[in-house]
Amino acid sequence: MLGLSRSQRVFAYPAPVDLRKGFDGLSHLVRWHLDKDPHSGDCYLFTNRSRRNAKVLVWDGTGLGIYAKRLEVGRFAVLWSGEPGEPIALTGPELALFLQGCTLVGKIALSPPEFSP
């Protein structure tokens, strides 16, 4: 299970990905297609076309890690529409719900807005 802090951001890649890619292939997508730094400490979520498999790429301060999940029943929520565009921002709890197979992720706001006094 991923342990996320409140300061970590989560970005979902906005298109299906060939999940045979490893550290270098996923890092390349983050750097060149999302225009983000894979070593920033943020989490990057990828799913394949069938939406049965997902991978999360994360830098933990000492190296890149990949968390992989395959659903045996059902499919992951759809987080893309048509052409790749801007990454979809998720919260840590939304990522956890997504990885458990919740299909509401990306359709409605599942986390309250950030509180600022």
Side-chain angles (χ1 to χ4, degrees), residues 61-92:
T62 60
L64 284 171
I66 293 179
Y67 175 85
K69 174 103 184 226
R70 179 182 68 205
L71 287 180
E72 294 298 326
V73 177
R75 296 175 190 264
F76 289 112
V78 178
L79 294 177
W80 64 78
S81 58
E83 292 296 315
E86 291 294 314
I88 297 113
L90 302 173
T91 64

Side-chain angles (χ1 to χ4, degrees), residues 3-71:
L4 299 176
S5 70
R6 296 269 291 156
S7 64
Q8 278 182 299
R9 298 177 301 174
V10 179
F11 297 102
Y13 191 76
V17 173
D18 178 1
L19 291 184
R20 292 177 291 182
K21 293 180 186 299
F23 298 100
D24 295 331
L26 295 176
S27 294
H28 175 82
L29 291 176
V30 169
R31 184 169 306 280
W32 299 107
H33 293 258
L34 299 181
D35 197 28
K36 303 215 177 276
D37 181 11
H39 300 102
S40 66
D42 296 332
C43 293
Y44 301 95
L45 172 65
F46 304 90
T47 57
N48 64 350
R49 187 172 307 280
S50 71
R51 299 187 341 266
R52 292 196 187 269
N53 298 304
K55 284 188 177 180
V56 178
L57 181 71
V58 63
W59 172 262
D60 68 0
T62 60
L64 284 171
I66 293 179
Y67 175 85
K69 174 103 184 226
R70 179 182 68 205
L71 287 180

